[in-house]
Amino acid sequence: MRELDKAYDPHKCEDAIYKNWEDKGYFRGRSDPSKKPYSIVIPPPNITGILHMGHALNNTIQDILIRFNRMKGFEAEWMPGTDHAGIATQNVVEKKLAKDGVKRQDLGRDKFIEEVWKWRQDYGSTIIRQLKKLGCSCDWDRTRFTMDEGLSEAVLEVFVRLYKKGLIYSGNYIINWCPRCQTALSDEESQHKDVDGLLYHIKYPVKDSKEFVVVATTRPETMLGDVAIAVNPKDKRYKELKNKTLLLPILNRELKIIYDPLVDMKFGTGALKVTPAHDPVDFSLGQKYGLEQINVMNEDATINSIGGDYEGMDRLEAREAIITDLKERGLFIKSEAHRHAVGHCYRCHTMVEPRLSPQWFVKMKPLAQPAIAAVNDGRIKFYPERWTKVYLDWMNNIRDWCISRQIWWGHRIPVYYCKDCGEVMVSKVTPGKCSKCGSSNVEQDPDVLDTWFSSWLWPFSTFGWPKETPCLKYFYPTNSLVTAQEIIFFWVARMIMAGMEFMGDIPFKDVYIHGTVRDITGTKMSKSLGNVIDPLDMIKKYGTDALRFSIISITAQGQDVFLSENKFELGRNFANKLWNASRFILMNLKEEDIGVDLCVFFKESELDLSERWILSRLYSTLEDVEKCLGGYKFNEAANIIYEFIWHEFCDWYIEIAKSTISEKRSQVVLYKVLEKTLRMLHPFMPFITEEIWQKLPRSKDAIGDSIMIQPWPHVQKDIISKEAEGEMKCLIDIITAIRNIRSVWNIEPRREMSALINIHDKKDEIFLNKNAGMIKRLSRLSTLSVGKNPKPKNSAASVVGAFEIYVPLEGVIDFDKEKARLKKEEDRISLEIKSIGARLKDKHFTKKAPEDVIEKQKARKADLELQVKKLKDNLKNIG
RNA sequence: GGACACGUGGCUCAGCUGGUUAGAGCGUUGCGUUCACAUCGCAGAGGUCACAGGUUCGAAUCCUGUCGUGUCCACCA
């Protein structure tokens, strides 16, 4: 057997192991009709992305699911890939060019896009390499990119289909405009943030009068585009205004008065300035009353020529200037503090400007219906379940999706305009000439599509759709989607809609939403805040398995994770513990013995208690782990395995087995338990389990040369024995009691000690004598006497269940201290007896509680009473 | 304004559909280097489960309210 290092060194093996898996093609998923498929599509990280803790958590979970199900015998397919991330990527490349003083406009569209492709060539697969470091068993040969030929084809197909169905339309509407990115955003891409602003009260003069109306606004700069003032028809304050005209301050534009119930009388002054080109509410009022739409801003949110003197000023600069001018003219009344939610660009965090502009939209309501049904009738389930409501609330109030973006990087909108007759052509291929007038003066729409317009097709476009490929048929619908809550609306909801619309079927059965990774103060980790813990640093420091295991074990289902670096010690220490236990077993393992079938020992009833116990615990653990994984409770699964390996297998079984380690039986049990435990742990800690497994002798039924393709261990229910577990617990309690006495009385480890156990039942005598060797060894006794033992003089006592344990301590024992010790124990038990007694006396309890609960209480009470009696006896004849 | 989550030992958190003695990791106290592991072992200390009501024979667990923390959604300018 090869020697192992004293401590586990992840860096010595991880890369080689991963390379071997990849070379052997173990990650590959094939459409194999003899097996059932299990598939996951990765949430495609942006090509601009670098691995952060959120990715680490997200992808570790997916890898656990994939590895688990692969071992369970499914044909596992984890489809990887990246997202072109339109705005984000364009921003990154623009920044890079800016370093050389180049603007994208200098390069022109084609050259710029070339630059982006070049950038993607150089940096775009960083994240893929990092996912490999994480141990992800993705089917890399299938890696897709949202701008791949195939996926682009799918995007065009979808656009044309939706257009033909009347679900895509274009028009001049108010959209969220990012003045920095200079593009439209969808409602989801505009993130509301509370901002401390001001509510300005401004006088609007009544024409040919000394009167005026006071209007309250948070954005005075938009007044340059005002066309009316709206008030509530019920508002008595403004009854007089009917048939009068107002004047816009500064510009002196004439303004209509509109009476509409939409206006809230309680807000501000009850008079609303109406700016149809710069506010969604005003826009709808404008439509209703046929008002002019006056756009006063340029694309970068500076004031345009309509703004007169303010032309060229930035919107906030103009705000100040206008307020100053109003003050000068005596038209400014006051400003008051006003906290309100303002939209910000989700990419660059610039304040969004509502802007009137021609855009393309998808009509969402018809698409939402089947997607709502799919969740309502349980075809798709959310874990944790509460996200169902979040999803349904959004879907039931869905608004149309603005899909056009005024950027260059992305899928160009497949719409063509005839410059001569104005014909609009929607087509997957560039039309040579106008279908109506035959002119070849045809131009494509300059805009590109929202990035999510390709992502929402991901679960089927990656498998080849619109072509009906074998793997699309085999792997669709996928099984689980693992993602973070931030992306439910952007991505999850839209994928469900797209799946139902284009595949006629759900894209996945389960949606597992995990929490957000935060730092120890609860703040979301972000580069700009500088509070990130880099997973790659942690891998360097603690190893990949340690990272994976730690983050999984501290993340409860659906709860956010509060991370600090020292948490990774948990995983590292655990890996080291497993390593050393394995090292110990390997050092003692005789290969010729492990081939013996465990069943032989079972048949002959040759296994001793500790062996029956550890096997029982192994299979109980395995059963629990399967249950947890089935319910997406990864932390529980991890903790159950941790507990088993560390506190049962290592702390007890291996210690017990040391005395019999050269015997065949022991060899077989140690080997079997270790080997199966490694398989059970493999989805969580793929590298160390592989490394150890490789050093173990191969069992006859091993398949191939890697642990990752071994079958998941079968739960042998007949080996699970509650009896063995109970008996073992009794022995553990006895040993702990004796150790406790040792510790309390400061008995040096080397000091010879003997103990007596007083029993009252012949059965117990046989049981204890059978296990006396183990008790003696683990509690370091030279002699142990089991039988009708009266308490020796000068001894410490302890009561465990039905037994009294006496440890003679001539010259060491302090009777007062011993008395106090026993008294404390007695008090504790007496208190409990009292409480159970009261419960049992309560007629309501005995009448209504289930039989087994009452029985348990009775048994417990009897047990405790016996213990108290014994403690009392001992207290009586102390010394 | 609406929705959701959380408040458990010094710290970070588990605790499933209510049922015995509320668990873990870190930290902490005492002891320990016998040949798997000091990234370790053994034995401890430490909690009126935010608060107040309610349902129930029985509540950390279910319901209501209060306070505190956080997240998401929202066209009151």
Side-chain angles (χ1 to χ4, degrees), chain A residues 675-703:
Chain A
E675 200 272 342
K676 285 179 202 290
T677 300
L678 288 173
R679 279 193 260 161
M680 174 167 68
L681 180 61
H682 179 261
F684 301 83
M685 299 183 113
F687 292 109
I688 189 173
T689 49
E690 176 77 302
E691 179 70 3
I692 296 169
W693 195 84
Q694 289 299 338
K695 299 201 158 62
L696 284 179
R698 281 301 133 78
S699 68
K700 284 179 303 209
D701 53 353
I703 300 165

Side-chain angles (χ1 to χ4, degrees), chain A residues 13 17 23 124 168 247 276 389 399 402 441 482 508 549 563 589 594 652 680 708 740 747 801 805 810:
Chain A
C13 61
I17 286 173
D23 291 349
I168 281 184
L247 286 177
K389 188 172 149 33
R399 290 184 286 165
C402 173
N441 193 7
V482 179
F508 29 72
F549 193 86
L563 212 55
L589 207 57
I594 61 114
W652 290 98
M680 174 167 68
M708 72 165 282
N740 179 290
I747 312 299
I805 300 164
E810 184 82 45

Side-chain angles (χ1 to χ4, degrees), chain A residues 130-142:
Chain A
Q130 293 172 329
L131 288 173
K132 291 183 178 181
K133 280 301 279 183
L134 238 197
C136 295
S137 58
C138 298
D139 189 354
W140 298 113
D141 292 342
R142 290 192 201 267

Side-chain angles (χ1 to χ4, degrees), chain A residues 806-837:
Chain A
Y806 301 122
V807 180
L809 292 171
E810 184 82 45
V812 178
I813 198 159
D814 166 340
F815 295 121
D816 288 338
K817 190 174 158 192
E818 173 71 359
K819 208 186 253 175
R821 194 175 73 91
L822 293 178
K823 189 82 178 71
K824 194 181 162 199
E825 182 70 0
E826 193 213 321
D827 288 349
R828 189 181 64 80
I829 296 174
S830 296
L831 202 74
E832 202 192 327
I833 291 174
K834 227 173 122 187
S835 112
I836 297 178

